[in-house]
Amino acid sequence: MTWCNLSFNFQVNLIMAIQVVSKATLGSCWSNIRLFSAYRLQFVQAESSAMPVLCSHCEEKRAILKRPKTGHSLCKECFFWAFEEEVHQTIISACLFNPGETVGIGASGGKDSTVLAHVLKVLNERYEYGLKLLLLSVDEGITGYRDDSLETVKRNQQQYELPLKIVSYEELYGWTMDAIVKQVGLKNNCTFCGVFRRQALDRGAMMLKVDKICTGHNADDVAETVLMNVLRGDIARLCRCTAISTSSEGEGMIPRCKPLKYAYEKEIVLYAYFKKLDYFSTECVYSPNAYRGHARAFLKDLEAVRPSAIMDVIHSGENLSVREDVRMPVQGTCSRCGYISSQALCKSCVLLEGLNRGLPRLGIGKHHRLHGKILAQESLTQEEQRKLKTADF
Ligand code: SF4
Ligand code: ZN
């Protein structure tokens, strides 16, 4: 992998995360770093004036980075140890796993899930968790993105010697994301993709008969989700989104957990980089309009003036309590597919019905009153169809 192959966000994260102590650390990519804007300039200037600093933990080796989370200057080995120990503490204190369990790791080939797979394998051996680890990937059918990232997952399978299962949207829903984008455009595509992925991961996990699914969501992801739910006024999701484990979400559902919940994205980038992990860092070709991007930009601004902003937002979300008289959705099951849903039909079935009927807006916005008609396979009126046909391209 070369510096130029890394996505811009990844480059910025890496540059922001590393406090240069050793120029040699970055080797051949050094001249390319000079090409990047303000952060890069600070980076280069800092490098030229920096004196060698000893690791504040072992006090023997030269420090190569300053931890974004604690500000400690550490050598590579002490950073690896500190990062892995924090994930171990997260797992132990939240009792995420039990000995003998089969755990499916949601693997996209990106930095988060690659670091998660690597660290879980290390900790499983170091602390004898007694887990059977598997990789579980979802192929959304995005040409030029997922096909390439799945090649990375296949290499990870060999490198970590873990079994791999890939489930595809095409086989589960009869639609690829490429085909969906052709029908719905680039405004709501991530709604389809996110809803289908969540269910696809569950379906894959059921095929593999895993006891738990763990995902690579990191502290930045959780803080962004808290902000998004506040901005949308989605109280039900706001209450759930900081949970490290979703075991209480519904009967028959496979519990999910987030062992990297307290790991900063910047540190995951550093860990992946210095461990030389094989991961994929190109952004999805259909990503530009995701609402999450605004929450992410806002959080980055907050973090620039208050480095603890990510943990502060998570802490606020964790300690939030909702008045007893606030009405919350009641979780039931979808009448068509049996998946968890607070409506007669789950979101996935409604979105799929919309695609199959050529009515892409069916699952966007609130059209719950039409669920009865859909379940009964009734035709919609011409006026109903007219409103649901238009897609924002
Ligand atoms: Fe799917 Fe949107 Fe993510 Fe692309 S950016 S993988 S379309 S959710
Ligand atoms: Zn359903």
Side-chain angles (χ1 to χ4, degrees):
M1 188 184 330
T2 67
W3 178 261
C4 298
N5 286 343
L6 305 178
S7 72
F8 180 74
N9 278 349
F10 180 86
Q11 290 166 343
V12 170
N13 260 311
L14 184 60
I15 292 169
M16 286 173 74
I18 297 173
Q19 301 288 315
V20 178
V21 183
S22 162
K23 179 174 175 176
T25 306
L26 290 172
S28 61
C29 64
W30 185 251
S31 58
N32 291 325
I33 292 174
R34 291 173 190 272
L35 298 173
F36 296 93
S37 65
Y39 289 127
R40 304 147 211 168
L41 199 62
Q42 283 172 10
F43 188 58
V44 174
Q45 284 167 348
E47 182 274 335
S48 60
S49 61
M51 296 292 289
V53 177
L54 281 185
C55 172
S56 63
H57 185 251
C58 68
E59 297 178 351
E60 285 174 8
K61 295 195 187 116
R62 181 185 275 206
I64 55 147
L65 59 89
K66 192 165 182 174
R67 281 195 73 184
K69 198 170 185 178
T70 60
H72 295 151
S73 298
L74 295 179
C75 68
K76 222 192 299 190
E77 285 70 24
C78 287
F79 169 64
F80 293 156
W81 184 263
F83 183 88
E84 289 159 6
E85 282 306 293
E86 284 179 10
V87 178
H88 173 60
Q89 286 309 320
T90 303
I91 290 169
I92 297 302
S93 53
C95 300
L96 293 189
F97 308 120
N98 297 308
E101 282 182 335
T102 302
V103 175
I105 303 169
S108 67
K111 64 180 186 325
D112 300 310
S113 60
T114 305
V115 166
L116 177 64
H118 177 85
V119 171
L120 277 187
K121 186 173 165 63
V122 166
L123 296 176
N124 194 30
E125 289 164 10
R126 183 184 296 162
Y127 293 107
E128 299 179 0
Y129 289 167
L131 303 176
K132 184 179 176 207
L133 301 173
L134 310 166
L135 298 176
L136 176 56
S137 294
V138 177
D139 180 359
E140 297 95 340
I142 302 176
T143 309
Y145 171 64
R146 188 55 80 212
D147 41 3
D148 291 341
S149 70
L150 285 175
E151 290 308 310
T152 312
V153 178
K154 288 175 193 164
R155 289 197 301 277
N156 289 160
Q157 175 196 12
Q158 305 291 323
Q159 291 152 358
Y160 303 153
E161 297 174 319
L162 298 176
L164 166 66
K165 167 87 183 161
I166 301 175
V167 286
S168 73
Y169 284 5
E170 191 156 33
E171 104 199 33
L172 294 177
Y173 307 110
W175 288 81
T176 62
M177 272 310 293
D178 287 338
I180 292 171
V181 167
K182 274 201 189 116
Q183 189 182 120
V184 311
L186 278 171
K187 197 166 174 197
N188 295 302
N189 56 303
C190 292
T191 302
F192 286 81
C193 192
V195 169
F196 286 165
R197 186 187 304 106
R198 181 169 178 80
Q199 201 186 76
L201 209 54
D202 276 325
R203 292 222 222 162
M206 282 174 201
M207 290 176 203
L208 287 172
K209 298 189 171 50
V210 305
D211 299 298
K212 275 172 193 153
I213 303 170
C214 58
T215 56
H217 291 97
N218 59 44
D220 300 52
D221 296 330
V222 176
E224 281 161 24
T225 308
V226 171
L227 286 178
M228 278 167 66
N229 288 330
V230 169
L231 296 172
R232 284 173 169 156
D234 192 332
I235 306 299
R237 284 204 175 89
L238 184 57
C239 290
R240 293 197 302 259
C241 71
T242 53
I244 193 161
S245 170
T246 58
S247 48
S248 59
E249 226 171 58
E251 259 181 53
M253 300 306 299
I254 296 176
R256 288 177 178 231
C257 60
K258 305 171 192 148
L260 300 182
K261 180 188 166 188
Y262 297 112
Y264 279 26
E265 185 183 37
K266 287 175 187 171
E267 299 208 348
I268 290 172
V269 170
L270 286 171
Y271 187 89
Y273 184 81
F274 285 116
K275 276 274 179 191
K276 297 190 171 58
L277 298 187
D278 184 3
Y279 55 90
F280 183 80
S281 61
T282 301
E283 278 174 26
C284 172
V285 290
Y286 301 138
S287 70
N289 299 314
Y291 187 62
R292 178 172 288 275
H294 300 292
R296 176 166 300 175
F298 179 49
L299 196 63
K300 290 277 177 242
D301 287 347
L302 290 178
E303 202 191 0
V305 287
R306 185 180 165 88
S308 64
I310 290 170
M311 279 304 169
D312 295 342
V313 171
I314 294 177
H315 187 67
S316 301
E318 285 174 337
N319 289 288
L320 182 100
S321 64
V322 178
R323 266 197 348 251
E324 275 178 19
D325 59 341
V326 173
R327 229 162 41 109
M328 300 291 250
V330 180
Q331 295 289 22
T333 49
C334 172
S335 308
R336 181 171 286 177
C337 72
Y339 193 73
I340 183 172
S341 174
S342 54
Q343 304 294 330
L345 279 169
C346 72
K347 187 86 171 168
S348 179
C349 282
V350 179
L351 288 170
L352 191 57
E353 184 79 15
L355 288 171
N356 291 336
R357 289 193 186 210
L359 304 171
R361 298 198 69 80
L362 191 58
I364 310 291
K366 298 201 187 308
H367 305 291
H368 301 151
R369 60 190 175 76
L370 299 177
H371 288 191
K373 275 191 173 181
I374 296 168
L375 271 169
Q377 293 288 321
E378 283 175 27
S379 311
L380 304 185
T381 64
Q382 283 203 337
E383 179 59 11
E384 284 166 344
Q385 290 194 36
R386 189 186 61 75
K387 284 185 187 157
L388 298 171
K389 249 182 195 150
T390 47
D392 301 305
F393 283 88

